[in-house]
Coordinates of all heavy atoms in Angstrom, one line a residue:
M1 N 154.4 162.2 -38.7 CA 154.4 163.5 -39.2 C 152.9 164.0 -39.3 O 152.0 163.2 -39.6 CB 154.9 163.5 -40.7 CG 156.4 163.3 -40.8 SD 157.4 164.5 -39.9 CE 157.3 165.9 -41.0
T2 N 152.7 165.3 -39.0 CA 151.4 165.8 -39.1 C 151.1 166.4 -40.5 O 152.0 167.0 -41.1 CB 151.2 166.9 -38.1 OG1 152.3 167.9 -38.2 CG2 151.2 166.4 -36.6
E3 N 149.9 166.2 -41.0 CA 149.6 166.7 -42.3 C 149.1 168.2 -42.1 O 148.6 168.5 -41.0 CB 148.5 165.9 -42.9 CG 148.9 164.5 -43.3 CD 147.7 163.7 -43.7 OE1 146.8 164.2 -44.3 OE2 147.8 162.4 -43.4
E4 N 149.1 168.9 -43.1 CA 148.7 170.3 -43.1 C 147.2 170.5 -42.7 O 146.9 171.4 -42.0 CB 148.9 170.9 -44.5 CG 150.1 171.9 -44.5 CD 150.2 172.5 -45.8 OE1 149.4 173.5 -46.1 OE2 151.1 172.2 -46.6
N5 N 146.4 169.5 -43.1 CA 145.0 169.7 -42.9 C 144.5 168.8 -41.7 O 143.4 168.4 -41.6 CB 144.2 169.3 -44.1 CG 144.4 167.9 -44.6 OD1 145.3 167.2 -44.1 ND2 143.7 167.5 -45.6
T6 N 145.4 168.5 -40.8 CA 145.0 167.8 -39.6 C 144.0 168.6 -38.8 O 144.2 169.8 -38.6 CB 146.3 167.5 -38.7 OG1 147.2 166.8 -39.5 CG2 145.9 166.8 -37.5
I7 N 143.0 167.9 -38.3 CA 142.0 168.6 -37.4 C 142.0 167.9 -36.1 O 142.4 166.7 -35.9 CB 140.6 168.6 -38.0 CG1 140.0 167.2 -38.2 CG2 140.6 169.4 -39.3 CD1 138.5 167.3 -38.5
C8 N 141.6 168.6 -35.1 CA 141.6 168.1 -33.7 C 140.4 167.4 -33.4 O 139.4 167.4 -34.1 CB 141.9 169.3 -32.7 SG 140.5 170.4 -32.8
E9 N 140.4 166.8 -32.2 CA 139.2 166.0 -31.8 C 137.9 166.8 -31.7 O 136.8 166.4 -31.9 CB 139.5 165.3 -30.4 CG 139.8 166.4 -29.4 CD 140.4 165.8 -28.1 OE1 139.6 165.1 -27.4 OE2 141.5 166.1 -27.7
H10 N 138.1 168.1 -31.3 CA 137.0 169.0 -31.2 C 136.3 169.3 -32.5 O 135.1 169.3 -32.6 CB 137.4 170.3 -30.5 CG 138.2 170.2 -29.3 ND1 139.6 170.4 -29.4 CD2 137.9 169.8 -28.1 CE1 140.1 170.1 -28.2 NE2 139.1 169.7 -27.4
L11 N 137.1 169.5 -33.5 CA 136.6 169.8 -34.9 C 136.0 168.5 -35.4 O 134.9 168.5 -36.1 CB 137.7 170.3 -35.8 CG 138.2 171.7 -35.5 CD1 139.4 172.1 -36.3 CD2 137.1 172.8 -35.6
E12 N 136.6 167.4 -35.1 CA 136.2 166.1 -35.6 C 134.8 165.7 -35.1 O 134.0 165.0 -35.7 CB 137.2 165.0 -35.3 CG 137.3 163.9 -36.3 CD 138.6 163.2 -36.2 OE1 139.2 163.2 -35.1 OE2 139.1 162.7 -37.2
A13 N 134.5 166.2 -33.8 CA 133.3 165.9 -33.1 C 132.1 166.6 -33.7 O 131.0 166.3 -33.4 CB 133.4 166.1 -31.6
I14 N 132.3 167.6 -34.5 CA 131.2 168.4 -35.1 C 130.6 167.6 -36.2 O 131.2 167.4 -37.2 CB 131.7 169.8 -35.6 CG1 132.4 170.5 -34.5 CG2 130.5 170.6 -36.1 CD1 131.6 171.0 -33.3
K15 N 129.3 167.2 -36.0 CA 128.6 166.5 -37.1 C 127.6 167.4 -37.8 O 127.5 167.3 -39.0 CB 127.9 165.3 -36.5 CG 128.8 164.3 -35.8 CD 129.8 163.6 -36.8 CE 130.7 162.6 -36.0 NZ 132.1 162.6 -36.6
E16 N 126.9 168.1 -37.1 CA 125.9 169.1 -37.7 C 126.3 170.5 -37.2 O 126.4 170.7 -36.0 CB 124.5 168.7 -37.2 CG 123.8 167.9 -38.2 CD 122.4 167.5 -37.7 OE1 121.6 168.5 -37.5 OE2 122.1 166.3 -37.5
L17 N 126.3 171.4 -38.1 CA 126.6 172.8 -37.7 C 125.4 173.5 -37.1 O 124.3 173.3 -37.5 CB 127.0 173.5 -39.0 CG 128.4 173.1 -39.6 CD1 128.6 173.8 -40.9 CD2 129.5 173.3 -38.7
K18 N 125.7 174.2 -36.1 CA 124.7 175.1 -35.5 C 124.9 176.5 -36.2 O 125.9 177.1 -36.0 CB 124.9 175.3 -34.0 CG 124.6 174.0 -33.2 CD 124.9 174.3 -31.7 CE 124.4 173.1 -30.8 NZ 125.0 171.9 -31.1
L19 N 123.9 176.9 -36.9 CA 123.9 178.1 -37.6 C 123.4 179.3 -36.7 O 122.6 179.1 -35.8 CB 123.1 178.0 -38.9 CG 123.7 176.9 -39.9 CD1 122.7 176.7 -41.0 CD2 125.1 177.2 -40.4
P20 N 123.9 180.5 -37.0 CA 123.5 181.6 -36.2 C 122.0 181.9 -36.3 O 121.4 181.9 -37.4 CB 124.3 182.8 -36.7 CG 124.7 182.4 -38.1 CD 124.9 180.9 -38.0
L21 N 121.3 182.1 -35.2 CA 119.9 182.4 -35.2 C 119.7 183.9 -35.4 O 118.7 184.4 -36.0 CB 119.2 182.0 -33.9 CG 119.3 180.5 -33.6 CD1 118.8 180.1 -32.2 CD2 118.6 179.7 -34.7
K22 N 120.6 184.7 -34.8 CA 120.5 186.1 -34.9 C 121.9 186.7 -35.3 O 122.9 186.1 -34.9 CB 120.2 186.8 -33.6 CG 118.8 186.6 -33.1 CD 118.6 187.4 -31.8 CE 117.2 187.1 -31.3 NZ 117.1 187.8 -30.0
H23 N 121.9 187.7 -36.1 CA 123.2 188.3 -36.4 C 123.5 189.5 -35.4 O 123.6 190.6 -35.8 CB 123.2 188.8 -37.9 CG 123.6 187.7 -38.8 ND1 122.7 186.8 -39.3 CD2 124.8 187.2 -39.2 CE1 123.3 185.9 -40.0 NE2 124.6 186.1 -39.9
E24 N 123.7 189.1 -34.2 CA 124.2 190.0 -33.2 C 124.9 189.3 -32.1 O 124.6 188.1 -31.8 CB 122.9 190.8 -32.6 CG 121.9 189.9 -32.0 CD 120.6 190.6 -31.7 OE1 120.2 191.5 -32.5 OE2 120.0 190.3 -30.7
C25 N 125.8 190.0 -31.4 CA 126.4 189.4 -30.2 C 125.5 189.6 -29.0 O 125.2 190.7 -28.6 CB 127.8 190.1 -30.0 SG 128.5 189.5 -28.4
S26 N 125.1 188.4 -28.4 CA 124.1 188.5 -27.3 C 124.7 189.3 -26.1 O 124.0 189.9 -25.4 CB 123.6 187.1 -26.9 OG 124.7 186.3 -26.7
E27 N 126.0 189.2 -25.9 CA 126.6 189.9 -24.8 C 126.8 191.4 -25.1 O 126.5 192.3 -24.2 CB 128.0 189.3 -24.4 CG 128.0 188.0 -23.8 CD 127.2 188.0 -22.5 OE1 127.4 188.9 -21.7 OE2 126.5 187.0 -22.2
C28 N 127.2 191.7 -26.3 CA 127.4 193.2 -26.6 C 126.0 193.9 -26.6 O 125.9 195.1 -26.3 CB 128.0 193.3 -28.0 SG 129.7 193.0 -28.1
M29 N 124.9 193.1 -27.0 CA 123.6 193.7 -27.0 C 123.2 194.2 -25.6 O 122.5 195.2 -25.4 CB 122.6 192.7 -27.5 CG 122.7 192.4 -28.9 SD 122.5 193.8 -30.0 CE 120.7 194.1 -30.0
K30 N 123.7 193.5 -24.5 CA 123.4 193.9 -23.2 C 124.0 195.2 -22.7 O 123.5 195.9 -21.9 CB 123.9 192.8 -22.2 CG 123.1 191.5 -22.3 CD 123.7 190.4 -21.3 CE 123.1 189.1 -21.7 NZ 123.9 188.0 -20.9
T31 N 125.2 195.5 -23.3 CA 125.9 196.7 -22.9 C 126.0 197.7 -24.0 O 126.8 198.7 -23.9 CB 127.3 196.3 -22.5 OG1 128.0 195.6 -23.5 CG2 127.4 195.3 -21.2
S32 N 125.2 197.5 -25.1 CA 125.3 198.4 -26.2 C 126.7 198.6 -26.8 O 127.1 199.7 -27.2 CB 124.7 199.8 -25.9 OG 123.4 199.6 -25.4
S33 N 127.5 197.5 -26.8 CA 128.8 197.6 -27.3 C 128.8 197.3 -28.8 O 127.8 196.7 -29.3 CB 129.7 196.6 -26.6 OG 129.7 196.8 -25.2
Q34 N 129.9 197.5 -29.4 CA 130.0 197.3 -30.9 C 130.9 196.0 -31.1 O 131.7 195.7 -30.2 CB 130.8 198.5 -31.5 CG 130.1 199.8 -31.2 CD 129.6 200.5 -32.5 OE1 130.3 200.6 -33.4 NE2 128.3 200.8 -32.4
W35 N 130.7 195.4 -32.2 CA 131.5 194.2 -32.6 C 131.9 194.4 -34.0 O 131.4 195.2 -34.8 CB 130.7 192.9 -32.3 CG 129.5 192.8 -33.1 CD1 129.4 192.4 -34.4 CD2 128.1 193.1 -32.7 NE1 128.1 192.5 -34.9 CE2 127.3 192.9 -33.8 CE3 127.6 193.6 -31.5 CZ2 125.9 193.1 -33.8 CZ3 126.2 193.8 -31.5 CH2 125.4 193.5 -32.6
V36 N 132.9 193.5 -34.4 CA 133.4 193.6 -35.7 C 132.8 192.4 -36.5 O 132.1 192.6 -37.5 CB 134.9 193.5 -35.8 CG1 135.5 193.6 -37.2 CG2 135.5 194.7 -35.0
H37 N 133.1 191.2 -36.1 CA 132.5 190.0 -36.7 C 131.9 189.1 -35.7 O 132.1 189.2 -34.5 CB 133.6 189.2 -37.5 CG 134.3 190.0 -38.5 ND1 133.6 190.4 -39.7 CD2 135.6 190.4 -38.7 CE1 134.5 191.1 -40.4 NE2 135.7 191.1 -39.9
L38 N 131.0 188.2 -36.2 CA 130.3 187.3 -35.3 C 130.7 185.9 -35.5 O 131.0 185.4 -36.6 CB 128.8 187.5 -35.5 CG 128.3 188.8 -35.1 CD1 126.8 189.0 -35.6 CD2 128.3 189.1 -33.6
R39 N 130.7 185.1 -34.4 CA 131.0 183.7 -34.4 C 129.9 183.0 -33.7 O 129.3 183.5 -32.8 CB 132.3 183.4 -33.6 CG 133.5 184.2 -34.1 CD 134.0 183.8 -35.4 NE 135.1 184.7 -35.9 CZ 135.0 185.4 -37.0 NH1 133.9 185.5 -37.7 NH2 136.0 186.1 -37.4
T40 N 129.6 181.7 -34.1 CA 128.5 181.0 -33.4 C 129.1 179.7 -32.8 O 129.8 178.9 -33.4 CB 127.4 180.5 -34.5 OG1 126.9 181.7 -35.0 CG2 126.3 179.8 -33.8
C41 N 128.9 179.6 -31.5 CA 129.4 178.5 -30.7 C 128.8 177.2 -31.2 O 127.6 177.1 -31.3 CB 129.1 178.7 -29.2 SG 129.6 177.4 -28.2
Q42 N 129.6 176.2 -31.4 CA 129.1 174.9 -31.9 C 128.7 174.0 -30.7 O 128.2 172.8 -31.0 CB 130.1 174.3 -32.8 CG 130.2 175.1 -34.1 CD 128.9 175.2 -34.8 OE1 128.4 174.3 -35.4 NE2 128.4 176.5 -34.9
T43 N 128.9 174.4 -29.5 CA 128.4 173.6 -28.4 C 127.0 174.0 -27.9 O 126.1 173.2 -27.7 CB 129.4 173.7 -27.2 OG1 130.7 173.5 -27.7 CG2 129.1 172.7 -26.1
C44 N 126.8 175.3 -27.8 CA 125.5 175.8 -27.3 C 124.7 176.6 -28.3 O 123.6 177.0 -28.1 CB 125.7 176.5 -26.0 SG 126.6 178.1 -26.2
G45 N 125.3 177.0 -29.4 CA 124.6 177.7 -30.5 C 124.6 179.2 -30.2 O 124.0 180.0 -31.0
E46 N 125.2 179.7 -29.2 CA 125.3 181.2 -28.9 C 126.1 181.9 -30.0 O 127.2 181.4 -30.3 CB 125.8 181.4 -27.5 CG 125.5 182.8 -27.0 CD 125.4 182.9 -25.5 OE1 125.4 181.9 -24.8 OE2 125.3 184.1 -25.1
T47 N 125.6 183.1 -30.4 CA 126.4 183.9 -31.3 C 127.0 185.1 -30.6 O 126.4 185.8 -29.8 CB 125.5 184.4 -32.5 OG1 125.0 183.3 -33.2 CG2 126.2 185.3 -33.4
L48 N 128.3 185.2 -30.7 CA 129.1 186.2 -29.9 C 130.2 186.8 -30.9 O 130.4 186.3 -32.0 CB 129.8 185.5 -28.7 CG 128.9 184.9 -27.7 CD1 129.6 184.0 -26.7 CD2 128.2 186.0 -26.9
C49 N 130.9 187.8 -30.4 CA 131.8 188.6 -31.2 C 133.2 188.0 -31.3 O 133.6 187.3 -30.4 CB 131.8 190.0 -30.9 SG 132.2 190.3 -29.1
C50 N 133.9 188.3 -32.3 CA 135.2 187.7 -32.7 C 136.4 188.4 -31.9 O 136.2 189.3 -31.2 CB 135.4 187.8 -34.2 SG 135.8 189.5 -34.6
D51 N 137.5 187.9 -32.2 CA 138.8 188.4 -31.6 C 139.1 189.8 -32.1 O 139.9 190.5 -31.4 CB 140.0 187.5 -32.1 CG 140.1 186.3 -31.2 OD1 139.1 186.1 -30.4 OD2 141.1 185.6 -31.3
S52 N 138.6 190.3 -33.2 CA 138.9 191.6 -33.6 C 138.0 192.6 -32.9 O 138.1 193.8 -33.1 CB 138.7 191.7 -35.1 OG 139.4 190.7 -35.8
S53 N 136.9 192.1 -32.3 CA 136.0 193.0 -31.6 C 136.5 193.4 -30.2 O 137.3 192.7 -29.6 CB 134.7 192.3 -31.4 OG 134.2 191.8 -32.6
P54 N 136.2 194.6 -29.7 CA 136.7 195.1 -28.5 C 136.5 194.1 -27.3 O 137.4 194.0 -26.4 CB 136.0 196.4 -28.2 CG 135.4 196.8 -29.5 CD 135.3 195.6 -30.3
N55 N 135.4 193.5 -27.2 CA 135.1 192.6 -26.1 C 135.4 191.1 -26.2 O 135.4 190.4 -25.2 CB 133.6 192.8 -25.7 CG 133.3 194.2 -25.3 OD1 133.8 194.7 -24.3 ND2 132.4 194.9 -26.0
Q56 N 135.7 190.7 -27.4 CA 136.1 189.3 -27.7 C 135.3 188.3 -26.9 O 135.8 187.4 -26.2 CB 137.6 189.1 -27.3 CG 138.5 190.1 -28.1 CD 139.9 189.9 -27.8 OE1 140.3 189.2 -26.9 NE2 140.8 190.5 -28.7
H57 N 134.0 188.4 -27.0 CA 133.1 187.6 -26.2 C 133.2 186.1 -26.5 O 133.1 185.3 -25.7 CB 131.6 188.1 -26.3 CG 131.3 189.3 -25.5 ND1 130.8 190.4 -26.1 CD2 131.6 189.6 -24.2 CE1 130.7 191.4 -25.1 NE2 131.1 190.9 -24.0
M58 N 133.4 185.8 -27.8 CA 133.5 184.3 -28.1 C 134.8 183.7 -27.5 O 134.7 182.6 -27.1 CB 133.5 184.1 -29.7 CG 133.4 182.6 -30.1 SD 132.0 181.7 -29.2 CE 130.7 182.1 -30.3
T59 N 135.8 184.4 -27.5 CA 137.1 183.9 -26.9 C 136.9 183.6 -25.4 O 137.2 182.6 -24.9 CB 138.2 184.9 -27.1 OG1 138.2 185.4 -28.5 CG2 139.6 184.3 -26.8
K60 N 136.3 184.6 -24.8 CA 136.0 184.4 -23.3 C 135.1 183.2 -23.1 O 135.3 182.4 -22.2 CB 135.3 185.7 -22.8 CG 136.3 186.8 -22.6 CD 135.6 188.1 -22.1 CE 136.5 189.3 -22.3 NZ 135.7 190.6 -22.3
H61 N 134.0 183.2 -23.9 CA 133.0 182.1 -23.8 C 133.7 180.7 -24.0 O 133.5 179.8 -23.2 CB 132.0 182.3 -24.9 CG 130.9 181.3 -24.9 ND1 129.8 181.3 -24.2 CD2 130.8 180.2 -25.7 CE1 129.0 180.3 -24.5 NE2 129.6 179.6 -25.4
A62 N 134.6 180.6 -25.0 CA 135.2 179.4 -25.3 C 136.1 178.9 -24.2 O 136.0 177.7 -23.8 CB 136.1 179.6 -26.6
H63 N 136.8 179.8 -23.5 CA 137.7 179.4 -22.4 C 136.9 179.2 -21.1 O 137.2 178.2 -20.4 CB 138.9 180.3 -22.3 CG 139.8 180.2 -23.5 ND1 140.6 179.2 -23.7 CD2 139.9 181.0 -24.6 CE1 141.2 179.3 -24.9 NE2 140.8 180.4 -25.4
E64 N 136.0 180.0 -20.9 CA 135.2 179.9 -19.6 C 134.3 178.7 -19.6 O 134.3 178.0 -18.6 CB 134.3 181.1 -19.4 CG 135.1 182.3 -18.7 CD 134.3 183.6 -18.8 OE1 133.1 183.6 -18.9 OE2 135.0 184.6 -18.7
K65 N 133.7 178.4 -20.7 CA 132.7 177.3 -20.7 C 133.3 176.1 -21.3 O 132.6 175.0 -21.4 CB 131.5 177.7 -21.5 CG 130.8 179.0 -21.0 CD 129.4 178.8 -20.7 CE 128.8 179.9 -19.9 NZ 127.7 180.6 -20.5
E66 N 134.5 176.2 -21.8 CA 135.1 175.1 -22.6 C 134.3 174.6 -23.8 O 134.2 173.5 -24.1 CB 135.5 173.9 -21.6 CG 136.4 174.3 -20.5 CD 137.0 173.2 -19.8 OE1 136.6 172.0 -19.9 OE2 138.0 173.4 -19.0
H67 N 133.7 175.6 -24.4 CA 133.1 175.4 -25.7 C 134.1 175.9 -26.8 O 134.1 177.0 -27.1 CB 131.8 176.3 -25.8 CG 130.7 175.8 -24.9 ND1 129.5 176.5 -24.7 CD2 130.6 174.8 -24.0 CE1 128.8 175.9 -23.8 NE2 129.4 174.8 -23.4
F68 N 134.9 174.9 -27.3 CA 136.0 175.3 -28.0 C 135.8 175.6 -29.5 O 136.6 176.3 -30.1 CB 137.1 174.3 -27.9 CG 137.7 174.2 -26.5 CD1 137.7 173.0 -25.8 CD2 138.1 175.4 -25.8 CE1 138.2 172.9 -24.5 CE2 138.6 175.3 -24.5 CZ 138.7 174.1 -23.9
V69 N 134.7 175.1 -30.1 CA 134.6 175.2 -31.5 C 133.5 176.2 -31.9 O 132.4 176.2 -31.3 CB 134.3 173.9 -32.2 CG1 134.1 174.0 -33.7 CG2 135.4 172.9 -31.9
A70 N 133.9 177.1 -32.7 CA 132.9 178.1 -33.2 C 133.0 178.2 -34.8 O 134.0 177.9 -35.3 CB 133.2 179.5 -32.7
I71 N 131.9 178.6 -35.4 CA 132.0 178.8 -36.8 C 131.8 180.3 -37.0 O 131.4 181.1 -36.2 CB 130.8 178.1 -37.7 CG1 129.4 178.6 -37.2 CG2 131.0 176.6 -37.6 CD1 128.3 178.3 -38.2
S72 N 132.2 180.8 -38.2 CA 132.0 182.2 -38.6 C 130.5 182.3 -38.8 O 129.9 181.5 -39.4 CB 132.7 182.5 -39.8 OG 132.3 183.8 -40.3
A73 N 129.9 183.4 -38.2 CA 128.5 183.7 -38.5 C 128.4 184.7 -39.6 O 127.3 185.3 -39.8 CB 127.9 184.2 -37.2
E74 N 129.5 185.0 -40.3 CA 129.4 186.0 -41.3 C 128.9 185.4 -42.6 O 129.3 184.3 -43.0 CB 130.8 186.6 -41.6 CG 131.4 187.3 -40.4 CD 130.5 188.5 -39.9 OE1 130.1 189.3 -40.8 OE2 130.3 188.7 -38.7
P75 N 128.0 186.1 -43.3 CA 127.5 185.5 -44.6 C 128.6 185.2 -45.6 O 129.5 186.1 -45.7 CB 126.6 186.6 -45.1 CG 126.3 187.5 -44.0 CD 127.5 187.4 -43.0
G76 N 128.6 184.1 -46.2 CA 129.6 183.7 -47.2 C 130.8 183.1 -46.6 O 131.7 182.6 -47.4
E77 N 131.0 183.1 -45.3 CA 132.2 182.5 -44.7 C 131.8 181.1 -44.2 O 130.8 181.0 -43.5 CB 132.7 183.4 -43.6 CG 133.3 184.7 -44.0 CD 134.1 185.4 -42.9 OE1 134.1 184.9 -41.8 OE2 134.5 186.5 -43.2
R78 N 132.6 180.1 -44.6 CA 132.3 178.8 -44.3 C 133.5 178.1 -43.6 O 134.2 177.4 -44.3 CB 131.9 178.0 -45.5 CG 130.6 178.5 -46.2 CD 130.3 177.9 -47.5 NE 130.1 176.5 -47.4 CZ 128.9 175.9 -47.2 NH1 127.8 176.7 -47.0 NH2 128.8 174.6 -47.1
W79 N 133.7 178.4 -42.4 CA 134.8 177.8 -41.7 C 134.6 177.6 -40.2 O 133.7 178.3 -39.6 CB 136.1 178.5 -41.9 CG 136.1 180.0 -41.7 CD1 136.0 181.0 -42.6 CD2 136.2 180.7 -40.4 NE1 136.0 182.2 -42.0 CE2 136.2 182.1 -40.7 CE3 136.4 180.3 -39.1 CZ2 136.2 183.1 -39.7 CZ3 136.5 181.3 -38.1 CH2 136.4 182.6 -38.4
L80 N 135.3 176.7 -39.6 CA 135.2 176.5 -38.1 C 136.6 176.8 -37.5 O 137.6 176.7 -38.2 CB 135.0 175.0 -37.9 CG 133.8 174.3 -38.5 CD1 134.2 173.4 -39.6 CD2 133.1 173.5 -37.4
W81 N 136.6 177.1 -36.3 CA 137.8 177.4 -35.5 C 137.7 176.7 -34.2 O 136.7 176.8 -33.5 CB 137.9 178.9 -35.4 CG 139.1 179.4 -34.6 CD1 139.0 179.8 -33.3 CD2 140.4 179.4 -35.0 NE1 140.3 180.2 -32.9 CE2 141.2 179.9 -33.9 CE3 141.1 179.1 -36.1 CZ2 142.6 180.1 -33.9 CZ3 142.5 179.3 -36.2 CH2 143.2 179.7 -35.1
C82 N 138.9 176.1 -33.8 CA 139.0 175.5 -32.5 C 139.8 176.5 -31.6 O 141.0 176.7 -32.0 CB 139.6 174.1 -32.5 SG 139.8 173.5 -30.8
Y83 N 139.3 177.0 -30.6 CA 140.0 178.0 -29.7 C 141.0 177.3 -28.9 O 142.0 177.9 -28.4 CB 139.0 178.7 -28.8 CG 138.3 179.8 -29.5 CD1 137.0 179.6 -30.1 CD2 138.8 181.1 -29.6 CE1 136.3 180.6 -30.8 CE2 138.2 182.1 -30.3 CZ 136.9 181.9 -30.9 OH 136.3 182.9 -31.5
K84 N 140.9 176.0 -28.6 CA 141.9 175.3 -27.8 C 143.1 175.0 -28.6 O 144.2 175.3 -28.1 CB 141.3 174.1 -27.2 CG 142.2 173.4 -26.2 CD 141.5 172.3 -25.5 CE 142.5 171.5 -24.6 NZ 142.7 172.1 -23.4
D85 N 142.9 174.5 -29.7 CA 144.1 174.0 -30.5 C 144.5 175.1 -31.6 O 145.5 174.9 -32.3 CB 143.7 172.7 -31.2 CG 143.4 171.6 -30.2 OD1 144.3 171.2 -29.5 OD2 142.2 171.2 -30.1
E86 N 143.7 176.1 -31.7 CA 143.9 177.2 -32.7 C 144.0 176.6 -34.1 O 145.0 176.8 -34.8 CB 145.2 178.0 -32.3 CG 145.0 178.6 -30.9 CD 146.0 179.7 -30.6 OE1 147.1 179.6 -31.0 OE2 145.6 180.7 -30.0
L87 N 143.0 175.8 -34.4 CA 143.0 175.1 -35.7 C 141.8 175.6 -36.5 O 140.7 175.8 -35.9 CB 142.9 173.6 -35.5 CG 144.2 172.9 -35.2 CD1 143.9 171.4 -34.9 CD2 145.1 173.0 -36.4
F88 N 142.0 175.7 -37.7 CA 141.0 176.2 -38.7 C 140.6 175.1 -39.6 O 141.4 174.3 -40.0 CB 141.7 177.4 -39.4 CG 141.0 178.0 -40.5 CD1 140.1 179.1 -40.3 CD2 141.2 177.5 -41.8 CE1 139.5 179.7 -41.4 CE2 140.6 178.1 -42.9 CZ 139.7 179.2 -42.7
A89 N 139.3 175.0 -39.9 CA 138.9 174.1 -40.9 C 137.8 174.7 -41.8 O 136.9 175.4 -41.3 CB 138.3 172.8 -40.3
E90 N 137.8 174.5 -43.1 CA 136.7 174.9 -44.0 C 135.7 173.9 -44.1 O 136.0 172.7 -44.0 CB 137.3 175.4 -45.3 CG 138.1 176.6 -45.2 CD 138.7 177.1 -46.5 OE1 139.7 176.5 -46.9 OE2 138.0 177.9 -47.2
Y91 N 134.5 174.3 -44.4 CA 133.5 173.2 -44.7 C 132.7 173.6 -46.0 O 132.9 174.7 -46.5 CB 132.5 173.1 -43.5 CG 131.7 174.3 -43.2 CD1 130.4 174.5 -43.8 CD2 132.1 175.2 -42.2 CE1 129.7 175.6 -43.5 CE2 131.3 176.3 -41.9 CZ 130.1 176.5 -42.5 OH 129.3 177.6 -42.3
Ligands
ZN101 ZN1 140.4 171.4 -30.8
ZN102 ZN1 130.4 190.8 -28.0
ZN103 ZN1 128.9 177.9 -26.1

């Protein structure tokens, strides 16, 4: 049986969090697009926009580069998300 708080191998592999260096989506900045929330990739440290944003740069990044784990880059939010397994974990 799976427990409610089961985490995947990707989330388990995160030992140290990569925190956002800038509070902006690096892709949206290139095209002067708008974003809603920001996420920081835990593989390369890039900060990109979330699924509620028009361009969904973090989702694209996760699947194209296979960088599956991102954290919320929003102040006060402390959670990780795995795009492959669609799993959420708080820290
Ligand atoms: Zn995973
Ligand atoms: Zn973006
Ligand atoms: Zn990445």
Side-chain angles (χ1 to χ4, degrees):
M1 292 299 285
T2 51
E3 290 171 35
E4 254 184 76
N5 59 355
T6 301
I7 62 167
C8 64
E9 57 190 298
H10 312 102
L11 292 173
E12 212 157 30
I14 306 295
K15 301 292 178 213
E16 259 179 66
L17 293 172
K18 290 182 171 58
L19 299 171
L21 299 175
K22 287 186 186 175
H23 276 89
E24 58 189 37
C25 171
S26 50
E27 289 298 319
C28 285
M29 289 301 283
K30 291 179 193 167
T31 55
S32 307
S33 303
Q34 306 242 309
W35 61 82
V36 180
H37 297 298
L38 295 170
R39 308 289 177 244
T40 300
C41 175
Q42 293 303 291
T43 308
C44 67
E46 194 152 352
T47 297
L48 295 165
C49 57
C50 73
D51 276 11
S52 310
S53 305
N55 294 299
Q56 303 184 346
H57 284 127
M58 186 53 82
T59 312
K60 288 177 193 161
H61 178 87
H63 292 287
E64 274 166 24
K65 305 236 166 123
E66 301 195 346
H67 293 174
F68 294 127
V69 180
I71 60 163
S72 173
E74 298 301 315
E77 292 188 3
R78 297 171 63 86
W79 51 262
L80 306 105
W81 175 256
C82 176
Y83 281 94
K84 186 172 173 82
D85 301 294
E86 302 192 325
L87 280 173
F88 172 89
E90 287 182 278
Y91 64 85

